[in-house]
Amino acid sequence: MSILDVQGISRRFGGLQALSDITFSVPQGQIVGLIGPNGAGKTTFFSTLVGLVRPDRGSIRLDGAPVVGLKPHKVARLGMTKTFQNVALFGESSVLDNVLTAGLLRHDVDAAREEALKCLDRVGLRAIAHQQAGLLSFPERARVELARALCTGPRVLLLDEVMAALNPVEMQEVMDLIRSLRDDGITLLVVEHHMRAIMAICDRILVLNFGKLIADGTPTQIANDPQVVEAYLGKSMETHP
Protein backbone atom coordinates (compact mmCIF):
# COMPACT_ATOMS: atom_id res chain seq x y z
CA MET A 1 0.00 0.00 0.00
CA SER A 2 1.22 3.47 -0.87
CA ILE A 3 1.91 5.96 1.90
CA LEU A 4 0.65 8.79 -0.35
CA ASP A 5 -2.14 8.32 -2.87
CA VAL A 6 -3.30 11.22 -5.05
CA GLN A 7 -6.34 10.80 -7.29
CA GLY A 8 -7.67 13.35 -9.78
CA ILE A 9 -6.53 16.50 -7.99
CA SER A 10 -7.64 19.66 -9.81
CA ARG A 11 -7.69 23.33 -8.82
CA ARG A 12 -8.73 26.45 -10.71
CA PHE A 13 -8.01 30.05 -9.73
CA GLY A 14 -10.42 32.21 -11.74
CA GLY A 15 -9.56 31.59 -15.38
CA LEU A 16 -6.36 29.69 -14.59
CA GLN A 17 -6.45 25.91 -14.36
CA ALA A 18 -3.54 25.58 -11.92
CA LEU A 19 -3.83 21.80 -11.45
CA SER A 20 -5.56 19.38 -13.77
CA ASP A 21 -6.48 15.79 -12.84
CA ILE A 22 -3.19 14.85 -11.13
CA THR A 23 -3.00 11.19 -10.16
CA PHE A 24 -0.08 9.19 -8.75
CA SER A 25 0.94 7.19 -5.69
CA VAL A 26 4.15 6.98 -3.69
CA PRO A 27 5.41 3.91 -1.81
CA GLN A 28 7.01 4.50 1.57
CA GLY A 29 10.70 5.34 1.44
CA GLN A 30 10.91 6.77 -2.07
CA ILE A 31 12.54 10.07 -2.95
CA VAL A 32 10.32 11.58 -5.63
CA GLY A 33 11.28 14.69 -7.56
CA LEU A 34 8.72 17.18 -8.85
CA ILE A 35 9.98 19.31 -11.72
CA GLY A 36 8.57 21.62 -14.37
CA PRO A 37 8.80 25.16 -15.73
CA ASN A 38 8.01 28.20 -13.59
CA GLY A 39 4.25 28.44 -13.30
CA ALA A 40 3.75 24.72 -13.90
CA GLY A 41 1.86 24.34 -10.60
CA LYS A 42 4.51 22.76 -8.39
CA THR A 43 4.13 25.05 -5.37
CA THR A 44 0.33 25.05 -5.69
CA PHE A 45 0.40 21.26 -5.72
CA PHE A 46 2.60 21.06 -2.62
CA SER A 47 0.29 23.53 -0.88
CA THR A 48 -2.69 21.38 -1.83
CA LEU A 49 -1.09 18.25 -0.37
CA VAL A 50 -0.60 19.85 3.06
CA GLY A 51 -3.95 21.63 3.28
CA LEU A 52 -2.94 25.22 2.45
CA VAL A 53 -4.99 25.07 -0.76
CA ARG A 54 -8.19 23.05 -1.11
CA PRO A 55 -8.64 21.28 -4.45
CA ASP A 56 -11.84 21.69 -6.45
CA ARG A 57 -12.00 17.94 -6.85
CA GLY A 58 -9.96 14.82 -6.23
CA SER A 59 -8.68 12.95 -3.19
CA ILE A 60 -5.44 12.77 -1.21
CA ARG A 61 -4.80 9.92 1.21
CA LEU A 62 -1.90 9.68 3.63
CA ASP A 63 -1.42 6.04 4.61
CA GLY A 64 -5.10 5.49 3.81
CA ALA A 65 -6.40 8.51 5.74
CA PRO A 66 -8.17 11.24 3.69
CA VAL A 67 -6.60 14.68 4.12
CA VAL A 68 -8.54 16.93 1.73
CA GLY A 69 -10.41 19.49 3.82
CA LEU A 70 -8.14 19.20 6.85
CA LYS A 71 -6.30 22.24 8.22
CA PRO A 72 -2.51 22.24 7.70
CA HIS A 73 -1.75 21.51 11.36
CA LYS A 74 -4.01 18.45 11.23
CA VAL A 75 -2.30 17.22 8.06
CA ALA A 76 1.03 17.75 9.82
CA ARG A 77 -0.20 15.78 12.83
CA LEU A 78 -1.06 12.91 10.49
CA GLY A 79 2.55 13.06 9.29
CA MET A 80 2.87 15.24 6.17
CA THR A 81 4.45 18.68 6.12
CA LYS A 82 6.44 20.95 3.80
CA THR A 83 9.24 23.44 3.89
CA PHE A 84 8.65 26.90 2.48
CA GLN A 85 10.72 28.41 -0.31
CA ASN A 86 10.32 31.87 1.20
CA VAL A 87 11.58 31.15 4.70
CA ALA A 88 9.84 33.18 7.40
CA LEU A 89 11.64 32.95 10.74
CA PHE A 90 11.00 34.79 13.99
CA GLY A 91 14.01 37.07 13.56
CA GLU A 92 14.24 38.27 17.17
CA SER A 93 14.09 34.72 18.55
CA SER A 94 16.84 32.16 18.75
CA VAL A 95 17.35 29.46 16.16
CA LEU A 96 16.34 26.91 18.79
CA ASP A 97 13.09 28.67 19.63
CA ASN A 98 12.19 28.87 15.91
CA VAL A 99 12.50 25.09 15.61
CA LEU A 100 10.97 24.37 19.03
CA THR A 101 7.64 25.91 17.96
CA ALA A 102 7.20 23.12 15.38
CA GLY A 103 7.89 20.48 18.02
CA LEU A 104 4.91 21.70 20.05
CA LEU A 105 2.70 19.91 17.53
CA ARG A 106 3.51 16.62 19.29
CA HIS A 107 5.39 17.47 22.50
CA ASP A 108 5.31 19.63 25.61
CA VAL A 109 7.84 22.46 25.79
CA ASP A 110 10.67 20.49 27.39
CA ALA A 111 10.33 17.54 25.01
CA ALA A 112 9.95 19.91 22.05
CA ARG A 113 13.23 21.61 23.03
CA GLU A 114 15.04 18.27 23.09
CA GLU A 115 13.55 17.31 19.74
CA ALA A 116 14.47 20.70 18.28
CA LEU A 117 18.10 20.24 19.35
CA LYS A 118 18.17 16.82 17.69
CA CYS A 119 16.77 18.29 14.48
CA LEU A 120 19.28 21.15 14.51
CA ASP A 121 22.03 18.60 15.00
CA ARG A 122 20.65 16.67 12.05
CA VAL A 123 20.93 19.67 9.73
CA GLY A 124 24.32 20.73 11.09
CA LEU A 125 23.21 23.82 13.01
CA ARG A 126 23.33 22.77 16.67
CA ALA A 127 26.37 24.98 17.25
CA ILE A 128 24.30 28.10 16.50
CA ALA A 129 21.13 27.00 18.33
CA HIS A 130 21.19 30.07 20.57
CA GLN A 131 22.05 32.60 17.86
CA GLN A 132 19.44 35.15 16.85
CA ALA A 133 17.62 33.83 13.78
CA GLY A 134 17.53 37.22 12.09
CA LEU A 135 21.33 37.20 11.76
CA LEU A 136 21.52 34.00 9.69
CA SER A 137 22.65 33.69 6.10
CA PHE A 138 20.15 32.47 3.50
CA PRO A 139 21.59 28.91 3.41
CA GLU A 140 21.44 28.78 7.22
CA ARG A 141 17.85 30.01 7.20
CA ALA A 142 16.95 27.26 4.73
CA ARG A 143 18.45 24.66 7.06
CA VAL A 144 16.48 26.05 10.01
CA GLU A 145 13.35 25.72 7.89
CA LEU A 146 14.26 22.10 7.21
CA ALA A 147 14.92 21.46 10.92
CA ARG A 148 11.54 23.02 11.73
CA ALA A 149 9.79 20.68 9.30
CA LEU A 150 11.64 17.67 10.74
CA CYS A 151 10.59 18.68 14.24
CA THR A 152 6.94 17.96 13.36
CA GLY A 153 7.86 14.26 13.04
CA PRO A 154 6.93 13.81 9.36
CA ARG A 155 6.40 10.52 7.59
CA VAL A 156 6.10 12.35 4.27
CA LEU A 157 8.25 15.48 3.88
CA LEU A 158 7.84 17.92 1.00
CA LEU A 159 10.99 19.94 0.27
CA ASP A 160 10.45 23.13 -1.75
CA GLU A 161 13.72 24.43 -3.25
CA VAL A 162 15.90 23.59 -0.22
CA MET A 163 19.04 23.75 -2.39
CA ALA A 164 18.44 27.23 -3.75
CA ALA A 165 21.47 29.56 -3.49
CA LEU A 166 23.74 26.81 -2.14
CA ASN A 167 27.32 26.32 -3.29
CA PRO A 168 28.34 22.85 -4.56
CA VAL A 169 29.66 21.70 -1.17
CA GLU A 170 26.49 22.81 0.65
CA MET A 171 24.36 21.22 -2.05
CA GLN A 172 26.14 17.89 -1.62
CA GLU A 173 25.60 18.07 2.14
CA VAL A 174 21.86 18.58 1.65
CA MET A 175 21.71 15.73 -0.86
CA ASP A 176 23.42 13.45 1.66
CA LEU A 177 20.95 14.59 4.32
CA ILE A 178 17.98 13.83 2.07
CA ARG A 179 19.30 10.33 1.47
CA SER A 180 19.81 9.80 5.20
CA LEU A 181 16.24 10.91 5.92
CA ARG A 182 15.00 8.36 3.41
CA ASP A 183 17.15 5.73 5.13
CA ASP A 184 15.31 6.60 8.35
CA GLY A 185 12.00 5.74 6.69
CA ILE A 186 10.83 9.22 5.68
CA THR A 187 9.25 9.51 2.23
CA LEU A 188 10.30 12.68 0.41
CA LEU A 189 8.88 14.77 -2.42
CA VAL A 190 11.39 17.32 -3.68
CA VAL A 191 10.81 20.40 -5.83
CA GLU A 192 14.15 21.54 -7.18
CA HIS A 193 15.54 23.46 -10.17
CA HIS A 194 19.04 21.98 -9.91
CA MET A 195 18.53 19.18 -12.41
CA ARG A 196 21.75 17.30 -11.78
CA ALA A 197 20.93 17.21 -8.07
CA ILE A 198 17.38 16.00 -8.62
CA MET A 199 18.51 13.37 -11.11
CA ALA A 200 21.14 12.12 -8.67
CA ILE A 201 19.02 11.75 -5.52
CA CYS A 202 15.57 10.77 -6.79
CA ASP A 203 14.23 7.26 -7.32
CA ARG A 204 11.51 8.69 -9.49
CA ILE A 205 10.54 12.03 -11.02
CA LEU A 206 7.15 13.60 -11.75
CA VAL A 207 6.94 16.37 -14.37
CA LEU A 208 4.28 19.08 -14.29
CA ASN A 209 3.54 21.42 -17.18
CA PHE A 210 0.62 23.89 -17.19
CA GLY A 211 -0.82 22.05 -14.19
CA LYS A 212 -0.81 18.66 -15.86
CA LEU A 213 1.30 15.62 -14.98
CA ILE A 214 3.03 14.94 -18.29
CA ALA A 215 5.56 12.30 -17.18
CA ASP A 216 6.30 9.93 -14.31
CA GLY A 217 9.41 7.77 -14.41
CA THR A 218 12.97 7.07 -13.38
CA PRO A 219 15.59 9.83 -13.80
CA THR A 220 16.88 8.11 -16.95
CA GLN A 221 13.41 7.84 -18.43
CA ILE A 222 12.62 11.49 -17.63
CA ALA A 223 15.93 12.79 -18.98
CA ASN A 224 15.23 11.15 -22.33
CA ASP A 225 11.48 11.74 -22.58
CA PRO A 226 10.89 13.89 -25.70
CA GLN A 227 7.85 15.60 -24.15
CA VAL A 228 9.82 16.55 -21.02
CA VAL A 229 12.82 17.70 -23.04
CA GLU A 230 10.58 19.95 -25.12
CA ALA A 231 8.60 21.33 -22.16
CA TYR A 232 11.38 21.85 -19.66
CA LEU A 233 14.86 20.39 -20.01
CA GLY A 234 15.63 21.81 -23.44
CA LYS A 235 17.95 18.90 -24.21
CA SER A 236 18.42 15.37 -22.95
CA MET A 237 20.93 15.16 -20.14
CA GLU A 238 23.14 12.61 -18.52
CA THR A 239 22.02 11.06 -15.25
CA HIS A 240 24.12 9.76 -12.41
CA PRO A 241 23.35 6.89 -10.05
Side-chain angles (χ1 to χ4, degrees), residues 36-68:
N38 288 333
K42 302 183 298 295
T43 296
T44 298
F45 181 61
F46 264 20
S47 295
T48 302
L49 288 178
V50 298
L52 291 166
V53 171
R54 183 163 186 165
D56 298 325
R57 62 181 182 273
S59 68
I60 301 166
R61 290 182 176 272
L62 179 64
D63 203 14
V67 300
V68 169

Side-chain angles (χ1 to χ4, degrees), residues 188-236:
L188 298 108
L189 273 68
V190 184
V191 166
E192 190 53 61
H193 282 295
H194 292 285
M195 281 301 96
R196 295 203 178 277
I198 205 111
M199 293 287 178
I201 63 172
C202 291
D203 304 302
R204 175 176 160 212
I205 296 173
L206 310 174
V207 187
L208 284 183
N209 193 33
F210 295 110
K212 295 181 179 179
L213 184 63
I214 64 169
D216 176 353
T218 66
T220 299
Q221 290 169 333
I222 294 302
N224 294 286
D225 185 311
Q227 192 175 6
V228 177
V229 171
E230 179 180 356
Y232 184 52
L233 298 179
K235 62 179 180 179
S236 60

Side-chain angles (χ1 to χ4, degrees), residues 81-101:
T81 193
K82 73 183 287 289
T83 63
F84 289 84
Q85 187 177 353
N86 298 315
V87 181
L89 301 180
F90 301 107
E92 299 299 318
S93 300
S94 70
V95 170
L96 176 59
D97 284 346
N98 270 270
V99 178
L100 183 155
T101 56

Side-chain angles (χ1 to χ4, degrees), residues 6 30 158:
V6 177
Q30 272 197 344
L158 316 181

